[in-house]
Amino acid sequence: MACRETSPTLLAAAILISGSVMAADPINLEPGVDNTETQLMLYTDQGVVEQKVPAQLPEGQSQLSLRPDYHSWQMDSLQLWTESKRGDQYADSISWLQPPDNREQLIAGMLGNEVEVYRNGVEAPSKGRLVYWRNGTGILQWASGRQEVFSADSDVMIRSLDRGPLGSQRLAPPLMADFSLEKPASSVSLSYINQNLGYQTWYQLITDSEGKGMTLIHDALLANNSDSDYRHAAIQLASGDTGAVPQVMMARSYAAGMAEMDNQSQRRGDLYFTAVPGHHNLPPRSRQKIRLSVIDDLKGGHYYQYRFYGQSQPGNRPVQGHPTQMIRFTAPADLPAGRVRVFEEDNNGRLFMTGESVMDQSAAGSQVLLGQGEAYTVEVERSRLDVRQQVNQLIVSWQLVIRNRKKEMVQLRIMDEDRDLLRVDQLKGVELADDGALTVNLSADSEKKVFFSTVYQRKQ
C-alpha cells in the first residue's frame, strides 16, 4: 500500500483535536481581565510580563486554552504554572498552531469556502468553492462541478462568500496547555517576553542664570506597541547594559524575583531597576508619560572644554575653534541613561531651552558630565610655535589665544587627547589639573594668551 504524506499543519491540528477530546472542556485563560495581577519589567526594547489569572484547575489531568498575541509575544519564552505549598507546577506541554502571517496563508484559510475570484480587467467574477490552494495556485470548483485552475497575483482578489468570518481558530488559533496536578489550583501564572513593550527615559535640567543651582526632573515614556491589554500593572524600569540576550532564554529566568516587586528602586547585579509609583494601565497601542522624580537644589556648575589632537596640527598656521559647554554635578542617586534637555530660568521664572545632551548611566555619588553644543561666545586660536625632536620624543611649543565674549567670567579646560602624549610642561598663564587638563579662568569680555609645551612619543 502506498504511503500518503500528511501535511504538518493537518498533523498539528489532529494533535490538538485529539487533545481536546481527552480533556473534554478546556479551561479558558483570559489574561487582562480586571482581576488579573500584572507585573511588568520594562527594558528599553522589550518587556518581561508576569501575570496571575484566576482559573479553577481540578486535580489530575486538565487542559487550558489561551489565545496569545502571536505578533508580540516571544512564544519560546512562554511559561505557565500553578502555585502550591509544595512548589510551582509547570504545564506538562504547550502546543499551538502558527497563525497566518502572509497573503498565502490567509488565502489558505478560505479552503472549503464559497468564494469569488476577481481579475483585473474582467468585470464579472468567477464563483465557486475553493478546493485547492498552494504556492499561489488555486482550484475553483463551480456549481456545475467543473473546475478552474487559476493563479493569484497582485491583479487577483479573492472574496469569501461565507457569512461568517474565516474564524479566529484559523487567524489566531489558541494554544493548549496540559497540566497534571496533585491538588486543585485556583489560579494560573504565566510569564513571557513581549518584544513590543519598552520605554524611554527623559530628563529636564533647569539651571539658574549663574548655572549653580539646578533642578533635575526625571520622566519616562512607557510604550505598548502590542495588542495586549495591561491593566492596573505594577511596573519597574530596567536600565544598564544587559549584554547579548539569547532569544530562546525563558522569561521565567528574567522574571525571577518579580513576585517580590515593590515600590522601591534597587540594584540587581549591574542593572538598576526604577520603580514606577502606583499602578498603571497600558492599553494596546498606547503611550504614557510618567514623572518618576524631581530633585531640587542640585549642586554643580558650568565650564567650557576645548579638546584637540596635537600631532594633527596643519603646519604652523593658526587654527580657530570653539570649546564645548559642559555641565557637571554629583549624581544624588542612581540615574538611568537618557536624553537631557537643558533649560535656563531667568529672573521672571521663564524657561529657555539652551541645549540638549545625553546622560550615561550614573551611580549615586559619581560625577555626571553633560556636553552641549559649541559656545560661539568663547573662541580659541591655537598656534604651534616650535617643534623639536629628541631621541624618541617630539616636543611642541603652543600658544593659545582665548577670547571670552560673555558678560561673566568663564572657566576653560584644555585637553590634548593625542594618544602619543607623554606629558605637558613649561606652563605660562595656565594651570595643570590632577586629571591632566589645563585650566584657565577668563574675566568677562577679556582676551588671554597662554603657553605650554607637549611631549609626544615619536612613532617609529
Side-chain angles (χ1 to χ4, degrees):
M1 180 182 294
C3 294
R4 184 173 61 184
E5 292 186 3
T6 304
S7 165
T9 302
L10 294 178
L11 180 60
I15 293 173
L16 287 184
I17 291 173
S18 63
S20 62
V21 171
M22 294 174 61
D25 296 312
I27 300 163
N28 292 323
L29 197 65
E30 299 183 35
V33 295
D34 291 336
N35 50 359
T36 298
E37 297 179 18
T38 301
Q39 297 177 351
L40 303 179
M41 189 174 293
L42 301 185
Y43 297 77
T44 55
D45 57 352
Q46 63 185 2
V48 179
V49 182
E50 184 168 318
Q51 296 179 295
K52 186 175 182 180
V53 187
Q56 299 295 327
L57 271 67
E59 180 181 347
Q61 301 292 321
S62 59
Q63 191 175 65
L64 279 178
S65 172
L66 167 66
R67 198 175 303 280
D69 179 358
Y70 286 102
H71 294 292
S72 297
W73 295 13
Q74 291 183 5
M75 297 304 295
D76 56 1
S77 71
L78 179 66
Q79 294 279 16
L80 292 164
W81 71 95
T82 64
E83 299 175 2
S84 66
K85 293 182 179 179
R86 297 185 178 182
D88 298 341
Q89 285 192 261
Y90 286 83
D92 299 327
S93 65
I94 303 173
S95 56
W96 64 90
L97 290 173
Q98 286 295 108
D101 57 7
N102 55 44
R103 186 171 185 256
E104 173 78 17
Q105 295 177 358
L106 286 171
I107 295 177
M110 296 184 185
L111 275 173
N113 287 13
E114 293 291 332
V115 300
E116 291 179 334
V117 178
Y118 291 82
R119 295 174 176 82
N120 189 28
V122 179
E123 186 174 345
S126 298
K127 294 183 180 181
R129 183 177 298 278
L130 186 62
V131 295
Y132 175 85
W133 175 260
R134 187 173 183 181
N135 295 333
T137 299
I139 297 178
L140 188 68
Q141 182 171 317
W142 298 351
S144 63
R146 297 179 63 183
Q147 294 184 343
E148 174 187 355
V149 178
F150 68 94
S151 295
D153 52 29
S154 58
D155 295 328
V156 173
M157 182 186 75
I158 302 176
R159 175 184 293 171
S160 176
L161 296 177
D162 286 7
R163 289 189 174 274
L166 292 180
S168 57
Q169 293 292 333
R170 293 182 184 176
L171 293 181
L175 63 80
M176 295 294 181
D178 295 303
F179 282 87
S180 300
L181 301 182
E182 297 179 1
K183 290 187 177 182
S186 59
S187 65
V188 174
S189 295
L190 67 156
S191 67
Y192 55 88
I193 297 172
N194 186 330
Q195 61 189 359
N196 285 323
L197 290 176
Y199 79 97
Q200 291 179 302
T201 291
W202 295 87
Y203 293 93
Q204 294 181 65
L205 184 64
I206 303 174
T207 72
D208 57 25
S209 58
E210 296 180 357
K212 296 181 179 179
M214 293 182 279
T215 297
L216 185 66
I217 300 173
H218 183 192
D219 293 331
L221 183 64
L222 313 182
N224 178 10
N225 295 321
S226 72
D227 292 325
S228 301
D229 189 5
Y230 300 108
R231 309 178 191 175
H232 201 63
I235 302 174
Q236 285 198 356
L237 309 179
S239 56
D241 186 2
T242 59
V245 180
Q247 294 298 310
V248 297
M249 185 175 290
M250 306 307 284
R252 184 59 177 164
S253 64
Y254 270 99
M258 287 182 68
E260 290 78 34
M261 278 177 57
D262 51 29
N263 290 325
Q264 299 297 319
S265 299
Q266 56 188 309
R267 297 174 180 174
R268 287 186 178 272
D270 287 315
L271 297 185
Y272 183 63
F273 295 88
T274 304
V276 178
H279 290 76
H280 299 271
N281 296 329
L282 275 181
R285 310 291 172 181
S286 67
R287 299 283 193 278
Q288 187 173 163
K289 187 175 181 180
I290 301 294
R291 177 139 298 176
L292 298 176
S293 65
V294 178
I295 304 173
D296 290 315
D297 297 326
L298 194 65
K299 302 303 181 184
H302 288 240
Y303 67 91
Y304 293 88
Q305 184 163 270
Y306 177 70
R307 298 174 180 268
F308 70 99
Y309 295 86
Q311 294 195 77
S312 64
Q313 176 81 8
N316 293 323
R317 65 180 182 273
V319 175
Q320 303 284 344
H322 295 271
T324 300
Q325 183 178 176
M326 304 291 294
I327 297 177
R328 61 183 169 191
F329 60 86
T330 301
D334 286 5
L335 298 174
R339 294 185 63 180
V340 183
R341 295 188 180 104
V342 181
F343 294 84
E344 184 175 308
E345 184 177 19
D346 66 10
N347 295 331
N348 297 320
R350 295 178 59 194
L351 296 180
F352 298 85
M353 192 171 77
T354 57
E356 291 186 278
S357 187
V358 176
M359 183 166 64
D360 295 331
Q361 180 122 338
S362 304
S366 63
Q367 280 288 311
V368 177
L369 298 178
L370 301 178
Q372 301 178 81
E374 286 190 347
Y376 79 98
T377 53
V378 182
E379 304 168 355
V380 179
E381 181 182 294
R382 186 179 77 249
S383 300
R384 189 171 63 186
L385 302 179
D386 182 53
V387 179
R388 291 177 292 140
Q389 295 185 6
Q390 287 187 358
V391 192
N392 294 324
Q393 294 181 351
L394 186 69
I395 304 172
V396 181
S397 299
W398 299 98
Q399 171 188 280
L400 268 60
V401 180
I402 308 168
R403 302 177 181 92
N404 176 21
R405 311 292 190 188
K406 298 177 72 69
K407 301 302 181 183
E408 63 267 4
M409 186 191 76
V410 299
Q411 182 187 71
L412 179 67
R413 287 168 53 87
I414 304 163
M415 295 193 71
D416 184 345
E417 297 195 323
D418 197 298
R419 64 179 183 179
D420 295 317
L421 179 68
L422 297 177
R423 67 181 183 275
V424 180
D425 54 22
Q426 298 182 22
L427 309 179
K428 183 178 179 181
V430 67
E431 296 182 356
L432 183 64
D434 293 338
D435 60 356
L438 302 173
T439 63
V440 57
N441 293 327
L442 284 89
S443 304
D445 282 322
S446 67
E447 178 180 304
K448 188 173 185 179
K449 292 182 180 180
V450 301
F451 301 87
F452 58 92
S453 294
T454 51
V455 181
Y456 305 97
Q457 179 70 42
R458 283 188 60 192
K459 297 178 181 178
Q460 299 299 323

